[in-house]
Amino acid sequence: MTEQLLHLTEEPLWEAARRAGTYEMSTRGRTLREEGFIHCSLPHQLPAVARALYGSEDDGLVVLVIDTGRLPALVRYEAMEPGGEEFPHIHGPLPASAVVEVRRWAGPLTAGEGEAG
């Protein structure tokens, strides 16, 4: 397997995408079409992303573990501002077949033993 990326989402959104075969949400409340890419994280980035997007509302969230070797779309590491931390972005739809694991998100202290992915 190649590099793994993580994406935090609401379980019903993932379940609908799994049935459809393609996931097309970018981030909370924004679609791939609206944003132009799907926001992802590396394991060390996920706790801060979860806090920023969901705060303490972590019920019903899942972490999609994505195998970049199964992606037809380009992955770019981009910063929100010049010199800022770079985050991985998938520039196209996420095939459900590229998601190799789905983990329940239980917050940064319990998801993956202190590592959220």
Side-chain angles (χ1 to χ4, degrees):
M1 179 164 42
T2 54
E3 182 179 30
Q4 287 187 353
L5 303 181
L6 305 176
H7 179 79
L8 185 65
T9 190
E10 297 161 50
E11 189 172 21
L13 294 174
W14 165 244
E15 287 302 322
R18 188 181 56 75
R19 287 189 298 275
T22 306
Y23 180 83
E24 296 191 22
M25 289 300 295
S26 176
T27 189
R28 185 178 192 190
R30 306 244 336 139
T31 65
L32 168 62
R33 173 171 261 171
E34 292 169 323
E35 199 72 9
F37 53 83
I38 296 173
H39 287 271
C40 293
S41 303
L42 298 174
H44 73 276
Q45 296 170 324
L46 195 59
V49 169
R51 280 191 303 277
L53 291 176
Y54 294 96
S56 62
E57 300 173 38
D58 58 7
D59 281 346
L61 298 179
V62 292
V63 178
L64 307 181
V65 180
I66 303 160
D67 179 350
T68 58
R70 298 182 184 191
L71 291 174
L74 179 66
V75 175
R76 290 188 185 137
Y77 286 77
E78 300 166 308
M80 293 174 64
E81 56 190 42
E85 184 175 13
E86 293 184 342
F87 288 82
H89 297 146
I90 301 171
H91 285 263
L94 170 60
S97 61
V99 176
V100 295
E101 185 181 349
V102 178
R103 302 174 184 162
R104 291 219 171 272
W105 174 252
L109 298 179
T110 55
E113 289 71 52
E115 198 176 332

